[in-house]
Amino acid sequence: MIAFAAIAAGFLVVPYMIIGAPIEPTMGIIQKIFYFHAPIAWLLLLSTMMCAVGSVAYLFKGSEGGDRFALASAELAVLFGVCTLVTGPLWARVAWGVFWTWDARLTSSLLLWLMMVAYLLARRYGGPGAKKLAAALSLFAAVDAPLVYVSVNVWRTIHPKTTVVPTLAPPMARVFLSSLLLFTVLWGALIVVRLRLARAHAALDALEIAYEDAREARS
Amino acid sequence: MKTAFKVLLAVVVVLATPALALAQNYQPVEGRVRESIPAAPFLAAAYAFMWVAVVVYVVLVARRLGRVQSDIEELRRRLEREAGR
């Protein structure tokens, strides 16, 4: 219900704010992709870091809750990674003239997304021990996430630098920060829904074991 | 051999002439020229894709949750039957 409310709010509020945002003189209206591209890229990084936090709890404390949180975060990382990697090239086509270039920011983001896809594939097809293997993989992704963020400052790149956000004009900053807040709330709602599914799976597994035990005891 | 060379030279000249003429069609223009790609469809496509992806994900999770909850109910009923025997 929270997720649906957040999505509805997003549908209604974000376009209204983006349409009303000032037009950037160099790039024109395509720059308005920034108001949702940057927040969803932030959610990719947030999801990756949260996946690593859950994985650490699972690897070092054996926390099943941590493992469920890591899995939920990994799914959201893949979801928001796809959104980032589609909206970015659409912006680039108009601003740079090409959909893709092997720029440090773009390449490190693609690698991060591939690592999170690998996490999910390892979970699904890895067999026994897959949880630990995937958890270890998520730690490598967590190392890449800060690199994605600083890549535009460290390497020569045509992607806008991290200094763009602090130097935004106040009317643009208001739209960006509102959008960032809204998308972060959406992330929170999605993680709650996904954790509910993970807990239901765990309850189902426990019931299946109890049912098998009851049948064996009767026979 | 000389004839062959002359023929080859003639072919090169014949083929090169239109190429040069085509190359001369590139004319410099004064001032800044930008490729005009309409931005609005790209902006709309990016926005629509993002929301479609999120909605599809929510629908998939809701369907999975529904299936798991019905499985849980079914197993609970079976367990109660087992306990009653």
Side-chain angles (χ1 to χ4, degrees):
Chain A
M1 198 63 205
I2 301 165
F4 284 116
I7 288 169
F11 268 132
L12 295 173
V13 178
V14 174
Y16 179 75
M17 288 191 306
I18 291 171
I19 289 165
I23 294 172
E24 201 272 335
T26 314
M27 282 188 271
I29 66 163
I30 197 65
Q31 181 271 344
K32 292 187 178 201
I33 284 185
F34 165 75
Y35 297 113
F36 53 92
H37 172 75
I40 55 176
W42 143 249
L43 295 184
L44 164 64
L45 301 183
L46 175 71
S47 306
T48 305
M49 296 312 285
M50 291 298 110
C51 179
V53 168
S55 296
V56 165
Y58 174 69
L59 281 175
F60 298 105
K61 303 240 174 191
S63 164
E64 287 295 328
D67 179 58
R68 287 197 289 268
F69 184 67
L71 179 59
S73 301
E75 275 192 15
L76 292 186
V78 171
L79 170 70
F80 288 112
V82 167
C83 292
T84 308
L85 291 170
V86 169
T87 57
L90 288 170
W91 184 2
R93 178 68 185 94
V94 180
W96 302 338
V98 288
F99 281 108
W100 185 266
T101 176
W102 294 101
D103 173 279
R105 169 61 71 86
L106 276 66
T107 308
S108 57
S109 301
L110 177 64
L111 282 174
L112 180 61
W113 180 75
L114 288 172
M115 276 192 258
M116 297 317 292
V117 171
Y119 175 95
L120 293 182
L121 290 176
R123 288 290 300 240
R124 194 168 176 87
Y125 303 108
K131 281 184 180 182
K132 283 192 175 170
L133 177 73
L137 192 59
S138 81
L139 301 185
F140 285 97
V143 172
D144 187 34
L147 281 178
V148 171
Y149 183 74
V150 299
S151 59
V152 285
N153 301 330
V154 173
W155 289 285
R156 189 179 294 176
T157 166
I158 54 172
H159 192 281
K161 294 195 183 313
T162 54
T163 50
V164 163
V165 174
T167 55
L168 276 176
M172 288 177 162
R174 270 196 295 277
V175 177
F176 175 72
L177 292 174
S178 306
S179 182
L180 186 66
L181 178 68
L182 192 77
F183 277 100
T184 309
V185 170
L186 173 68
W187 184 87
L190 290 176
I191 206 94
V192 167
V193 171
R194 185 57 187 81
L195 280 174
R196 204 171 149 197
L197 174 62
R199 279 195 293 271
H201 264 299
L204 181 64
D205 290 344
L207 271 174
E208 276 174 351
I209 291 167
Y211 179 67
E212 289 303 318
D213 287 347
R215 283 186 67 180
E216 275 179 23
R218 194 169 63 83
S219 60
Chain B
M1 192 65 188
K2 276 185 180 176
T3 310
F5 180 73
K6 280 178 187 170
V7 169
L8 186 65
L9 190 65
V11 168
V12 168
V13 168
V14 167
L15 290 176
T17 307
L20 285 170
L22 280 172
Q24 283 165 359
N25 284 341
Y26 293 121
Q27 297 294 326
V29 286
E30 294 297 322
R32 193 174 172 210
V33 176
R34 286 190 65 182
E35 190 182 355
S36 56
I37 303 169
F42 285 85
L43 180 64
Y47 191 75
F49 177 86
M50 178 194 64
W51 281 115
V52 167
V54 170
V55 169
V56 165
Y57 179 73
V58 169
V59 168
L60 289 177
V61 169
R63 284 177 63 183
R64 281 157 72 190
L65 189 59
R67 272 202 302 271
V68 172
Q69 280 174 340
S70 69
D71 287 350
I72 287 172
E73 289 307 313
E74 174 63 24
L75 259 178
R76 276 197 182 131
R77 276 196 293 274
R78 280 195 213 169
L79 259 172
E80 281 165 12
R81 277 202 299 271
E82 283 291 326
R85 283 181 186 176

